[in-house]
Amino acid sequence: MRLDKYLKVSRLIKRRTVANEACDAGRVIVNGKPVKASYNVKLDDVIEIQFGNRSVKVQVTSLSETVKKEEAKDMYKYL
């Protein structure tokens, strides 16, 4: 699954276009490297997103094309 789609489906970022812009600006780091929105997310990847002066670090626990709002939190765990 593409990184921008994963960020939207997991609700870490609300919109796919915003996720795309964050990747282009270099604010999304996967396994220690800045990546593009087209990066293919795999299980156990560590994603770090920088929002202004704070950052969120999560580990991918599941991949799914569509999930309900309540189940979105099960797609990752905070580190």
Side-chain angles (χ1 to χ4, degrees):
M1 175 187 293
R2 286 174 54 107
L3 177 59
D4 56 349
K5 184 166 184 179
Y6 177 81
L7 293 173
K8 183 208 177 285
V9 170
S10 66
R11 290 176 168 76
L12 286 166
I13 295 181
K14 282 193 176 192
R15 286 183 228 103
R16 192 167 175 177
T17 54
V18 175
N20 221 320
E21 291 167 4
C23 292
D24 291 343
R27 294 194 315 258
V28 180
I29 298 167
V30 178
N31 300 328
K33 296 180 202 150
V35 292
K36 295 184 177 182
S38 61
Y39 174 82
N40 193 21
V41 177
K42 295 175 270 320
L43 287 176
D44 297 325
D45 276 351
V46 175
I47 301 173
E48 187 174 351
I49 309 164
Q50 293 156 347
F51 296 105
N53 60 355
R54 72 180 184 101
S55 72
V56 174
K57 197 170 189 178
V58 297
Q59 182 176 10
V60 177
T61 56
S62 74
L63 298 172
S64 181
E65 293 292 320
T66 57
V67 291
K68 293 181 178 154
K69 188 176 184 179
E70 302 81 36
E71 298 165 359
K73 290 184 179 104
D74 299 333
M75 293 183 69
Y76 58 87
K77 67 177 181 181
Y78 287 102
L79 297 177

